[in-house]
Amino acid sequence: DDATNAIYSALLVEEEGTASTLRALLDVFSSQGLPSSLYTDRGSHYFWTPKAGEAVDKERLTQVGRALDRLGIEHIPAYSPEARGRSERMFGTLQGRLPQELKLAGISTVDAANRFIHETYLPEHNARFARPPELEESAFVKLAEPSSLAEILCLEEERVVARDNTVAYAGLRLQLPESRLRAHYVKARVKVREYPDDTLAVFHGPRLLARFDAAGQLVD
């Protein structure tokens, strides 16, 4: 946080990317509220850059850009070395301290490490390094229903329903159930949403047609 230097979310993953970013944003926005802006590097999961080293294309949104745009959050790409240097210094602090903290705690798995980071390390880190903001009023806007964020901070891709009333997604064939509204959804354009827990949902416009587990099995 620019105002306090507090860290609101941190987690270990196999590889940084779209899924881990959306997971972190869901964590922060659910607990803190919505910020007015988010300042990030120009990684490919944040921005589409037509030519390496040049300006990003703000009209062609990534999954992260789409979610932030829907929430009304300004997405600012970092260009200056000073901006990147600030985040790199924080990464250096974490990379220097976390391995030692995890070793002292006897932690050897990713799941246990993430619990430790969330429950123990971050509160201690913020108590030591965070500073009081100049203004007491928070810049975050609290949400009346934080649970609604899960439907935005997820992967979302458009698909066309096949002749057998199924939707193809990530090697799976999602069978749409019978509907009381219409005989079938063949040739309809639908949205498939993939959530941080790997479950799926198919929407036609705002209407939820079905939810599925990570293996593509219909969830009642």
Side-chain angles (χ1 to χ4, degrees):
D1 185 336
D2 266 348
T4 64
N5 280 342
I7 298 177
Y8 295 123
S9 178
L11 63 151
L12 300 179
V13 292
E14 290 291 332
E15 183 179 6
E16 181 192 9
T18 299
S20 63
T21 298
L22 292 172
R23 179 179 168 187
L25 293 180
L26 180 60
D27 184 22
V28 176
F29 296 169
S30 296
S31 62
Q32 303 297 323
L34 300 182
S36 59
S37 59
L38 182 70
Y39 198 73
T40 72
D41 63 36
R42 290 173 286 154
S44 59
H45 52 289
Y46 288 126
F47 291 101
W48 166 255
T49 305
K51 190 172 182 179
E54 296 189 358
V56 302
D57 184 349
K58 290 191 174 183
E59 298 300 318
R60 186 172 177 178
L61 299 179
T62 63
Q63 293 276 355
V64 173
R66 169 197 55 79
L68 294 174
D69 181 65
R70 190 177 297 180
L71 291 169
I73 298 170
E74 181 185 14
H75 192 185
I76 305 172
Y79 286 101
S80 69
E82 293 80 10
R84 292 195 296 273
R86 182 173 179 181
S87 60
E88 290 298 333
R89 286 193 295 275
M90 180 59 76
F91 292 151
T93 298
L94 293 175
Q95 290 163 357
R97 292 175 57 87
L98 264 178
Q100 303 304 319
E101 296 281 354
L102 295 173
K103 183 178 180 180
L104 288 172
I107 292 172
S108 59
T109 68
V110 171
D111 287 343
N114 281 333
R115 285 195 299 273
F116 175 83
I117 291 170
H118 178 73
E119 297 171 3
T120 303
Y121 181 79
L122 285 187
E124 292 179 354
H125 177 99
N126 288 335
R128 180 173 180 179
F129 294 107
R131 66 191 184 206
E134 291 184 9
L135 299 176
E136 290 187 8
E137 183 180 358
S138 174
F140 288 98
V141 177
K142 288 288 187 179
L143 293 171
E145 297 184 25
S147 59
S148 63
L149 286 170
E151 296 298 341
I152 298 174
L153 295 169
C154 60
L155 298 176
E156 183 178 278
E157 295 188 9
E158 187 174 275
R159 291 291 188 273
V160 176
V161 180
R163 291 181 178 277
D164 56 357
N165 209 38
T166 63
V167 178
Y169 182 81
L172 301 173
R173 183 64 68 173
L174 308 176
Q175 180 68 62
L176 298 180
E178 292 184 1
S179 171
R180 291 175 295 178
L181 299 176
R182 52 194 285 179
H184 58 73
Y185 284 88
V186 174
K187 295 185 178 181
R189 291 190 176 276
V190 295
K191 295 286 180 64
V192 179
R193 294 178 184 170
E194 180 178 347
Y195 303 100
D197 62 359
D198 296 326
T199 59
L200 305 165
V202 178
F203 285 80
H204 183 242
R207 185 178 300 281
L208 171 66
L209 300 184
R211 293 193 184 275
F212 301 86
D213 63 21
Q217 297 300 307
L218 185 67
V219 175
D220 189 1

